[in-house]
């Protein structure tokens, strides 16, 4: 086991790109940042972390929600902020093995999970995209807030799965489909259509 490192958030002035502030968070991250108002959310190596902007950027140490709770899980990727929650997928390890496809390149022994964490309650919900090991995430899930449906894709096993979401954040399987792609899922919100690549 190697030494764990923290990560640093840096706020830049948008025109001159001068550093306005810095903030150290408790664990490393490879995820893109997400924001909701004055809060910045970071999917860390084991937990969802939060920082607050009030003219200065400060770590919100009271909000640290562990999501790696099953043996064999690996780190999560970018979160989507929707319906009062952060949504993301775990098992990012293995994506560096991309060779034109991500199929068969996952290394996590646990199934890939769709993870939902309430922003007010810090309540954690999770559901497996498939029951297969070696799941692998390439891109964030899609959340249809109008229809209370969330969709995640396991690039390592080629499984696309949708879930109904209750007001309490309970995830119930809705449908599942075999598919091969590694791109972003796109939602047409007016029509309620999901657009994906499939090769």
């Amino acid at each position: 086991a190697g030494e764990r490192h923290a990560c640093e958030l840096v706020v830049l002035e948008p025109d001159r790109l001068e550093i306005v502030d810095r903030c150290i968070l408790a664990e490393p991250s490879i995820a893109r940042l997400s924001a909701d108002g004055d809060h910045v959310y970071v999917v860390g190596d084991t937990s969802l972390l939060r920082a607050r902007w009030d003219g200065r950027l400060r770590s919100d140490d009271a909000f640290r929600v562990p999501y790696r709770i099953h043996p064999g899980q690996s780190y999560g990727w970018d979160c989507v902020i929707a319906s009062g929650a952060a949504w993301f997928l775990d098992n990012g390890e293995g994506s560096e093995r991309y060779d034109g496809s991500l199929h068969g390149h996952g290394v996590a022994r646990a199934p890939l999970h769709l993870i939902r964490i309430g922003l007010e309650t810090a309540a954690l919900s999770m559901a497996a995209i498939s029951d297969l090991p070696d799941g692998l995430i390439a891109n964030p899930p899609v959340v249809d807030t109008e229809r209370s449906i969330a969709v995640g894709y396991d690039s390592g096993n080629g499984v696309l799965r949708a879930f109904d979401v209750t007001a309490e954040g309970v995830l119930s399987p809705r449908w599942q489909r075999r598919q091969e792609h590694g791109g972003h899922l796109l939602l047409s919100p007016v029509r309620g259509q999901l657009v994906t690549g499939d090769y």
Side-chain angles (χ1 to χ4, degrees), residues 12-195:
L12 300 176
E13 190 279 326
D15 294 322
R16 296 182 303 282
L17 300 181
E18 295 173 350
I19 294 175
V20 175
D21 204 3
R22 299 172 183 259
C23 175
I24 301 293
L25 296 181
E27 51 186 78
S29 173
I30 65 157
R32 296 177 189 114
L33 305 177
S34 299
D36 182 38
D38 294 329
H39 290 102
V40 178
Y41 292 90
V42 178
V43 179
D45 181 45
T46 66
S47 306
L48 181 66
L49 310 169
R50 180 166 70 189
R52 178 168 174 77
W53 174 256
D54 61 4
R56 296 201 52 208
L57 192 63
R58 305 168 196 274
S59 175
D60 182 354
D61 296 329
F63 186 94
R64 184 175 182 179
V65 186
Y67 65 85
R68 282 176 72 171
I69 59 175
H70 298 294
Q73 274 181 286
S74 80
Y75 53 81
W77 273 25
D78 321 335
C79 67
V80 173
I81 305 297
S83 298
W87 305 79
F88 59 97
L89 298 162
D90 59 0
N91 295 353
E93 191 173 356
S95 60
E96 70 282 357
R97 300 168 66 192
Y98 175 77
D99 62 1
S101 173
L102 290 169
H103 195 102
H105 292 312
V107 297
R109 299 310 306 157
L112 180 81
H113 297 94
L114 172 64
I115 298 168
R116 179 196 180 276
I117 297 175
L119 302 184
E120 293 295 324
T121 64
L124 170 73
S125 305
M126 64 174 25
I129 301 298
S130 76
D131 294 328
L132 301 170
D134 305 323
L136 180 60
I137 168 57
N139 286 296
V142 159
V143 180
D144 185 336
T145 57
E146 293 296 313
R147 295 161 189 84
S148 299
I149 299 172
V151 181
Y153 179 66
D154 179 349
S155 299
N157 291 303
V159 177
L160 184 69
R161 190 168 207 178
F163 299 87
D164 289 310
V165 184
T166 68
E168 296 77 29
V170 176
L171 305 171
S172 302
R174 182 181 181 94
W175 54 259
Q176 180 174 311
R177 176 186 170 154
R178 302 286 307 177
Q179 193 169 16
E180 297 293 341
H181 74 93
H184 281 266
L185 303 175
L186 302 173
L187 173 67
S188 174
V190 174
R191 294 182 175 168
Q193 292 177 328
L194 181 69
V195 180

